[in-house]
Amino acid sequence: MTSYNWTLVATPEGAAATLSGTSGMSTELTPDVMGVWVVRLVVRDGQLDSEPDVVQVRASGCECTSDADCDD
């Protein structure tokens, strides 16, 4: 049985936001302060853990409603 372990590894100072879930196939993060957020995922196939996959999310003050709104 495959399992997922999401972890919020680093957050900007003063952050209070959390991941929407830590054990599902996917998760969501809605940053509440600007800065760098680091999220890690480890997948277990029932026998072995994967190497951690880490993503860095940089939250800025831009209020984008579509990709075209923010040129980053």
Side-chain angles (χ1 to χ4, degrees):
M1 180 174 171
T2 303
S3 63
Y4 304 88
N5 183 13
W6 295 92
T7 308
L8 202 50
V9 178
T11 62
E13 186 175 332
T18 61
L19 297 172
S20 63
T22 60
S23 60
M25 188 181 294
S26 63
T27 192
E28 293 182 18
L29 170 66
T30 303
D32 59 346
V33 297
M34 293 186 295
V36 177
W37 299 72
V38 180
V39 181
R40 178 179 64 210
L41 169 63
V42 175
V43 179
R44 182 167 181 81
D45 67 2
Q47 296 180 8
L48 300 172
D49 288 347
S50 70
E51 291 293 322
D53 194 5
V54 178
V55 63
Q56 185 180 79
V57 177
R58 186 174 306 273
S60 67
C62 176
E63 294 197 20
C64 305
T65 57
S66 72
D67 286 341
D69 291 340
C70 288
D71 182 23
D72 55 357

